[in-house]
Amino acid sequence: MVKFDFAVRWKTRGSESEELDPRLLVLLKEIRDRGSLKHAADISGMSYRFAWELFRKWNRRFGKSLVLFERGRGAKLTELGEKLLRAEQSISSHLQPELSSLADELNQELAAILQAGTAGKKIRIHASHDLAIAHLEDLCHQSRLIDIDFQFRGSLECLRQFAAGDCDIAGFHFPKGELSTALASRYRYWLDSGKAQFLHLATRQQGLMVPAGNPRHLTGLKDLTRRSLRFINRQKDSGTRIIFDQLLQHGGIDK
């Protein structure tokens, strides 16, 4: 069955409007991480010549260089290159969860239309995104033994949909230890233990993702209050966000 994904594309304004090749942004990220155009091109699946020409083209369009190449010292992003990459990451973090949600809604509505009157029942699984869940989705589609519709939602949203009968299986994250007591009521509100069966799928550890070497020397959540730091949070109602907000409250940190 056909499914859709939505993505953000960049386009210049003016009489010579042109779409920015998304591979340029991929190269910028790899150069920042690896310090080499050759390595960036190899990792991105492009030829060195193509990558070089892509930068030449957009250097001309901007009138400034995106990358500084130094003989014997590799490559590094200029201020312009860094700005573009930060903008792309900021836009993706803000819009991609919303675009994914819209795509899921459209795919669900299309599936209902396309499969109306067909035999068999599709098992609807709404789950908070996790690598284990994504792997489970792949395994289910590969087996072709069960007709399954996966949709990714935040933990509490999955439970609300389960309680409303909008899905057959709800996947959610729930903390262990002291936090479980503090958050239990928010989850229990949507669950009827007499009607639901609980299956444990995976256990994971969570923390702050920082650049290699932890250059800002972060040791805990209080460090995030430094004005010099930029922090990208998870979306509301996701299991991670619920836990994070509870940790802030527990630590007396004004979110």
Side-chain angles (χ1 to χ4, degrees), residues 27-50:
L27 285 171
L28 288 175
K29 179 183 181 303
E30 295 300 335
I31 287 176
R32 184 197 62 186
D33 294 345
R34 303 176 188 278
S36 164
L37 177 60
K38 184 179 186 308
H39 288 161
D42 290 342
I43 291 294
S44 305
M46 309 175 205
S47 70
Y48 179 86
R49 181 177 180 181
F50 177 85

Side-chain angles (χ1 to χ4, degrees), residues 156 173-189 239-247 249:
L156 284 185
H173 302 141
F174 190 72
K176 299 171 69 174
E178 183 180 350
L179 285 178
S180 64
T181 303
L183 295 176
S185 61
R186 297 186 63 181
Y187 288 77
R188 190 182 294 119
Y189 180 83
T240 298
R241 177 65 173 269
I242 294 167
I243 293 170
F244 181 80
D245 287 348
Q246 187 65 34
L247 286 172
Q249 182 178 336

